Amino acid sequence: MDTIASLFSFITWPVSWVIVQFHTVYGAIFGPDTGWAWGLSIVSLVILIRICLIPLFVKQIKATRGMQTLQPEMKKIQERYKNDKQRQSEEMMKLYKETGTNPLSSCLPILAQSPFFFALYHVLNGIASGDTIGAVNQDLLESAQKAHIFGAPLASKFFSSESDVVALSASLTDVRVVTAIMIVLMSASQFFTQRQLMTKNVDTTVKTPFMQQQKMLMYIFPVMFAVFGVNFPVGVLVYWLTTNVWTMGQQMYVIRNNPTPGSKAQAAYLERLHKSLTEHGKTRGRGQKAIVKAIVAKGRDRNEFERKFINGLNKSGLAAQPDGNVEKNDAAVAAQSADGTTTATTTAPKRQQPKRQSKSQRQTRPAGESEPKTSLEKSDEPQDAEPGSKQESKPAAAAKKLAQKSGGGRSKAQSGQRKGPQRPKSPSKK
């Protein structure tokens, strides 16, 4: 570790100078020789570095999402050219170039932090060995050696010898308890950060090897921090614990306000956005406007959660516009459908079926009143009743008899009639 830290000695002086400036401010409040002054100086250094790395963090998010969307295409290339590694590599580079994706962009924040991390390690290691490094002069060196964080010296390690710890006016038990707790917190924060990324901010509709790799890293990184953490000074543990907590909070903010499309976080965000839009009737802020604009622009390519969001707006009397705003649509004559087309929302009135009477109502009906017919009941009288049958009405039978006499006694058989003359039957007696 000392050899690696010496490689970044060119940045040791700027890092030590920043720590000294923060120590001057906190030393005036808590005292120059206290652990609060030196510990908060390291925390402030982390916050300053992470603020400067926010643009790289944004690139990391875009690169990670780009890699997720490219995984199906990458898998096809690997299967197509599995026997030709050179052609496989060429096709991969061509795919990256066409989509503008850089696989190394997802590692930019960690790579950019590495020089500052090793420079801080070099400074704290010099404090432990009694050497002045960078902007830390002899007076500041003696002040830093007196500083304790919960009883553990700033430059002590988990495996420090008892003589080294006693020389820094501390006990070995206090050093190991404090360092062990900080290592556990550091590993736990790293695990939780990776876990919320996998469970909330990953597109669940696409199953790719990239997801399996991220799942493996979720367990590998905490173990690596625990293994290497026993060799870190307390000041470096403060630095790494602070940067892990910052990363966790930053990621929680991104997941809540700018989730990955198709993830569970997007479903929760669109539900909150729908509630806000129905309550206020308009988009509030550029963030909401950008999200609505992106969803409308997708058209038929929307995922399940985005279609549900658009349909929910239509049911609430709102219509999402291409510019990201929403307008009230109380008439709902033409609402935007989930697949980007326009459909009429007015529907034809449903056919009302007559109500059937109960048995008691039919029995209490006055005499002479016929039973009302419903659309569900069959007609009692067939359309083509056979002449002369009982089902044929009396006026119809008399008219046909008169027509037969005027036509010579015989008429052509009609459809549904028997051939030959028909003798009318006498009406049945009631």
Side-chain angles (χ1 to χ4, degrees), residues 176-195:
R176 292 189 173 178
V177 169
V178 172
T179 52
I181 293 175
M182 294 182 72
I183 290 171
V184 170
L185 293 176
M186 185 175 62
S187 301
S189 60
Q190 179 65 34
F191 175 79
F192 183 78
T193 300
Q194 193 69 18
R195 187 176 183 275

Side-chain angles (χ1 to χ4, degrees), residues 207-337:
K207 304 296 183 181
T208 61
F210 180 78
M211 296 177 60
Q212 299 296 329
Q213 294 174 5
Q214 294 295 317
K215 190 174 182 180
M216 290 176 60
L217 293 176
M218 180 174 66
Y219 297 100
I220 292 175
F221 274 154
V223 174
M224 290 177 59
F225 277 108
V227 171
F228 291 108
V230 295
N231 295 315
F232 291 163
V234 174
V236 174
L237 294 177
V238 172
Y239 173 91
W240 208 253
L241 178 60
T242 305
T243 193
N244 280 359
V245 173
W246 176 280
T247 302
M248 182 173 60
Q250 192 176 42
Q251 186 172 271
M252 289 177 65
Y253 176 82
V254 172
I255 291 175
R256 179 177 175 81
N257 298 282
N258 190 18
T260 300
S263 62
K264 295 180 180 179
Q266 188 195 31
Y269 175 79
L270 292 179
E271 186 176 351
R272 295 193 304 268
L273 180 59
H274 177 264
K275 185 178 180 180
S276 175
L277 293 178
T278 52
E279 182 178 354
H280 300 94
K282 62 179 182 179
T283 53
R284 305 179 66 189
R286 290 182 296 178
Q288 291 186 356
K289 189 174 181 180
I291 293 293
V292 175
K293 182 178 180 180
I295 293 176
V296 174
K298 287 184 177 181
R300 296 180 181 273
D301 296 331
R302 297 173 191 147
N303 57 45
E304 177 186 357
F305 306 128
E306 293 166 346
R307 290 194 296 268
K308 184 178 179 181
F309 170 72
I310 294 295
N311 291 336
L313 288 180
N314 293 335
K315 292 179 181 179
S316 302
L318 298 173
Q321 303 300 315
D323 59 353
N325 294 315
V326 293
E327 295 181 357
K328 291 186 177 181
N329 192 17
D330 297 332
V333 177
Q336 189 178 19
S337 64

Side-chain angles (χ1 to χ4, degrees), residues 30 37 40 48 69 91 113 118-119 138 221 227 236 253 269 286 302 304 334 345:
F30 301 102
L40 290 176
L48 178 63
T69 56
E91 292 295 328
Q113 276 190 95
F118 288 112
Q138 187 63 34
F221 274 154
V227 171
V236 174
Y253 176 82
Y269 175 79
R286 290 182 296 178
R302 297 173 191 147
E304 177 186 357
T345 57

Side-chain angles (χ1 to χ4, degrees), residues 317-371:
L318 298 173
Q321 303 300 315
D323 59 353
N325 294 315
V326 293
E327 295 181 357
K328 291 186 177 181
N329 192 17
D330 297 332
V333 177
Q336 189 178 19
S337 64
D339 58 357
T341 60
T342 302
T343 57
T345 57
T346 57
T347 57
K350 294 183 179 180
R351 182 179 178 182
Q352 298 292 335
Q353 297 291 343
K355 295 183 178 180
R356 296 179 63 88
Q357 293 184 343
S358 62
K359 184 176 181 181
S360 59
Q361 290 176 342
R362 290 195 301 270
Q363 291 176 352
T364 57
R365 189 171 58 252
E369 183 181 347
S370 61
E371 182 180 358

